[in-house]
Amino acid sequence: MSLDLETVRHIADLARLYLTAEEQARFAEQLSAILDYFAQLQTLDTTGIPPTSSVLPPRSMLRPDESRPGLSREELFLNAPQVEADQFRVPLVLE
Amino acid sequence: MTDLTELSLSQAAAAIQAGELSSLELTKAYLERIERHEPDLHAYITLTPELALAKAGEADRRLQSWRKLGGEPPSPLLGIPLAVKDVLCVAGVRCTCGSRILENFVPPYHATAVERLLQAGMVLLGKTNTDEFAMGSSTENSAYGVTRNPWDRERVPGGSSGGSAAAVAARLAPVALGTDTGGSVRHPAAFCGVSGLKPTYGRVSRYGLVAFGSSLDTVGIIGRTADDLALILRHIAGGDPRDATCLDLPTPNYSPDATTDLSGLRIGVPLEYFIAGMQPQVEGAVRAAIHTLEELGAMAQEVSLPHTRYALPVYYLIAPAEASANLARYDGVRYGARQPADSLWELFRRTRGEKFGAEVKRRIMLGTYALSAGYYDAYYGQAQKVRTLIKQDFERALQAVDVIAAPVTPTTAFKIGAHGDDPLAMYLEDIFTLPANLAGVPGLAFPVGFDAQGLPVGMQLMSAPFREDLLLQIAHAYQQATDWHRRRPPVL
């Protein structure tokens, strides 16, 4: 298996993703099968081939850098899970 | 008039503007069909009937005043109903993305594509079902239940825009917006026997489309005819100061002209898209459709897109990598669901662990792995280089031909649950649709026949970037010569 349990736990930590023991085992197996299938990519010689990160022609569409009205405080808090004194409330960050 | 839901967009528009039909009559006809068939099909996540009736009344008042006072003629879309995939924001209407993590999320603004259609006076019927965050090919990954294929309710509608495709096929909407990151408009269009356009990346603003794979995401359209798609594209295409990747190009009229003469058109048939293991009736219907285009004057020739087989690994590294970054925003702090916890770290982990579904978690894992130290070059970096080769395949082929014609899917619609818990089998559903997204070219899927079980077969046309006009013209010519697109699911 190309992806062991320890790696799965490490990746889940990086992704801030809680996984049950059962999920860890299943993902180790499934992601290994997927990565094994993807190994065919390594057989291609890509020396000198530039990477494509965007298919767009190299020009940017930029708007004038001017201040504009944004969303109001009320609108922003409408979807917040917990608000206190006009701020997003979260558990203690620093002891 | 008999069945109002059988009118095409331009027919309905003409009747509305002539005063022979009111928006309220048309909207009610759709709401009645929704009431009857939605419980069986589950094409929608959220319905907005009150809003629809209010907007339809408003449209009728605008039309009345225009008829009385004259002035600028109203948009042909004024008063026409619309369904929107539930990954595109409509201000004031909840947008779930098919996910529990956004179960109660109400966007404060419209997506640009939505805004342009609402400004033209379209009437929102509701938000359609989708695989969670558009990740899937069947709508089975929706946290709100699977959508059923109107042609056979034991089967999936395809995905991820399966709700939009099923709604259009079952006449629960005349037209719908979808999104296509790796085939999510074309795949369900093929499975449901309707037409679906994935525009060129950069043609339609992505502002207000909840991000999945930012270098691949496009806003697309699902409708019953090429003509209908053209009318919608004309309204949603064009530059947007809120999306730096949307090009400020002039928008053609798009509406196909009446000619069915395709003389001089060169069609490329890529040999890599006719593979062992595909359903023979799919290949048969696609080859017959290419023959029909030849009868209309086109010339078909074989072309090669040699890196096609690598599109699947390239896509399933790049899209999850981009998704893992895009979905980092769902942390339970500023919006979306929150799973209570004692520390901030646990709050992030628990919220994401509890509220994301299995496929989303799998892709976040895959993407995080592909971007992580030590694996970046081998996976993500290599995938980006092979993406260049895939793009070059298209550039080369499209020098010899004007369009490429290919199947959309290797098979017709599969049974619900058929792929079980086998993610790779589901990914293989997309092998024919992924390359267009990787190369950034437009693709148009439309029905070209049925298999022995009465399930629709689709064909797609792909062209050079920004030639949607050509794709729509060819599909229109085909639809003048055939009637597959007029068939409707038998039980409805």
Side-chain angles (χ1 to χ4, degrees):
Chain A
M1 207 147 56
S2 48
L3 212 63
D4 58 26
L5 269 180
E6 197 184 328
T7 312
V8 165
R9 287 190 199 110
H10 172 62
I11 299 297
D13 261 357
L14 290 177
R16 310 289 186 267
L17 205 53
Y18 172 82
L19 298 179
T20 63
E22 192 266 333
E23 281 177 314
Q24 291 171 17
R26 188 154 35 94
F27 282 170
E29 191 185 314
Q30 289 175 340
L31 295 174
S32 292
I34 292 167
L35 291 171
D36 288 347
Y37 182 86
F38 290 3
Q40 58 180 299
L41 271 192
Q42 312 305 329
T43 64
L44 270 180
D45 182 6
T46 52
T47 317
I49 306 291
T52 293
S53 54
S54 170
V55 292
L56 290 175
R59 74 178 167 129
S60 312
M61 305 296 304
L62 298 178
R63 62 174 178 242
D65 187 18
E66 292 159 358
S67 71
R68 300 165 301 143
L71 293 172
S72 69
R73 208 171 263 260
E74 291 70 31
E75 285 170 308
L76 281 170
F77 284 138
L78 222 51
N79 285 293
Q82 220 181 338
V83 179
E84 196 175 299
D86 269 4
Q87 294 170 75
F88 299 106
R89 189 179 168 94
V90 292
L92 202 60
V93 179
L94 295 170
E95 293 290 333
Chain B
M1 239 170 278
T2 47
D3 186 352
L4 297 178
T5 63
E6 281 305 307
L7 296 175
S8 73
L9 289 193
S10 45
Q11 286 170 329
I16 285 179
Q17 309 235 329
E20 296 157 5
L21 172 69
S22 73
S23 171
L24 212 49
E25 285 171 308
L26 185 63
T27 302
K28 278 181 177 165
Y30 277 103
L31 290 176
E32 276 161 25
R33 279 188 69 81
I34 287 171
E35 203 169 318
R36 199 153 22 139
H37 298 294
E38 172 62 10
D40 285 345
L41 294 174
H42 191 44
Y44 289 88
I45 290 179
T46 303
L47 285 164
T48 54
E50 295 86 6
L51 184 68
L53 292 172
K55 289 292 172 190
E58 215 173 276
D60 286 335
R61 283 191 293 280
R62 271 168 69 184
L63 283 154
Q64 263 168 15
S65 113
W66 169 68
R67 272 189 226 105
K68 207 186 300 172
L69 305 170
E72 190 82 352
S75 161
L77 296 179
L78 177 60
I80 308 272
L82 167 75
V84 174
K85 183 181 184 181
D86 207 18
V87 295
L88 287 157
C89 290
V90 181
V93 177
R94 88 172 168 150
C95 184
T96 69
C97 296
S99 180
R100 289 287 166 215
I101 212 159
L102 290 177
E103 190 163 6
N104 300 308
F105 175 69
V106 180
Y109 56 82
H110 292 311
T112 297
V114 170
E115 185 170 59
R116 289 179 181 174
L117 296 179
L118 296 184
Q119 259 166 13
M122 290 196 90
V123 170
L124 181 75
L125 295 169
K127 305 290 299 289
T128 53
N129 199 9
T130 168
D131 288 290
E132 187 174 3
F133 287 103
M135 297 178 191
S137 313
S138 68
T139 76
E140 290 169 295
N141 295 334
S142 169
Y144 302 89
V146 67
T147 296
R148 290 171 183 275
N149 190 313
W151 296 90
D152 177 350
R153 287 164 211 213
E154 301 303 307
R155 292 174 190 272
V156 302
S160 67
S161 310
S164 287
V168 170
R171 277 64 172 157
L172 306 186
V175 69
L177 289 182
T179 62
D180 192 314
T181 303
S184 282
V185 158
R186 290 161 289 150
H187 185 278
F191 272 19
C192 291
V194 291
S195 302
L197 175 67
K198 169 225 171 300
T200 311
Y201 184 88
R203 179 61 99 181
V204 179
S205 169
R206 293 183 295 114
Y207 179 75
L209 158 59
V210 177
F212 159 17
S214 301
S215 78
L216 302 156
D217 291 342
T218 56
V219 177
I221 312 158
I222 294 177
R224 296 205 284 257
T225 65
D227 200 36
D228 286 359
L229 300 180
L231 184 55
I232 299 292
L233 182 62
R234 172 147 55 98
H235 284 79
I236 65 175
D240 176 10
R242 294 172 295 189
D243 176 3
T245 63
C246 183
L247 297 187
D248 193 10
L249 297 171
T251 302
N253 174 34
Y254 289 120
S255 284
D257 49 47
T259 179
T260 58
D261 182 10
L262 298 180
S263 297
L265 179 78
R266 299 164 304 167
I267 300 175
V269 183
L271 54 114
E272 292 85 0
Y273 282 65
F274 296 89
I275 53 169
M278 74 188 289
Q279 195 177 321
Q281 288 164 337
V282 170
E283 173 164 0
V286 170
R287 293 214 185 265
I290 293 167
H291 185 65
T292 301
L293 296 177
E294 287 180 302
E295 285 172 348
L296 296 173
M299 292 168 303
Q301 67 183 76
E302 202 165 76
V303 293
S304 177
L305 300 165
H307 296 92
T308 299
R309 58 178 290 223
Y310 300 106
L312 190 141
V314 168
Y315 176 87
Y316 279 97
L317 288 165
I318 290 177
E322 294 181 1
S324 71
N326 276 325
L327 271 61
R329 71 191 64 175
Y330 304 105
D331 55 10
V333 173
R334 291 151 303 147
Y335 52 85
R338 166 184 290 192
Q339 196 69 21
D342 294 335
S343 72
L344 191 58
W345 181 271
E346 272 305 289
L347 186 146
F348 296 155
R349 292 179 67 231
R350 291 281 170 177
T351 297
R352 295 162 61 77
E354 302 278 340
K355 302 297 182 183
F356 283 139
E359 180 59 25
V360 171
K361 285 194 250 191
R362 198 153 37 228
R363 293 205 198 181
I364 289 174
M365 292 289 292
L366 191 54
T368 306
Y369 180 72
L371 292 175
S372 65
Y375 302 100
Y376 183 97
D377 288 337
Y379 288 108
Y380 187 68
Q382 177 72 353
Q384 284 193 314
K385 288 178 186 168
V386 182
R387 183 176 186 180
T388 304
L389 297 174
I390 291 168
K391 191 165 174 273
Q392 289 171 349
D393 281 356
F394 277 88
E395 287 162 359
R396 207 171 298 117
L398 287 166
Q399 279 170 4
V401 295
D402 302 302
V403 291
I404 291 165
V408 185
T409 56
T411 67
T412 54
F414 53 89
K415 286 237 164 96
I416 292 169
H419 292 327
D421 198 20
D422 183 354
L424 199 50
M426 193 67 91
Y427 298 171
L428 284 161
E429 279 295 322
D430 304 334
I431 45 172
F432 297 153
T433 53
L434 302 171
N437 298 81
L438 292 168
V441 303
L444 171 55
F446 52 96
V448 294
F450 289 82
D451 72 3
Q453 290 159 294
L455 299 169
V457 176
M459 178 169 88
Q460 62 177 331
L461 298 173
M462 295 171 277
S463 69
F466 302 104
R467 289 309 310 273
E468 293 86 356
D469 58 325
L470 183 61
L471 302 181
L472 290 162
Q473 182 65 52
I474 300 166
H476 180 69
Y478 180 83
Q479 291 180 336
Q480 297 301 103
T482 59
D483 72 349
W484 305 115
H485 62 291
R486 291 203 186 87
R487 304 273 181 99
R488 51 188 284 171
V491 290
L492 296 168

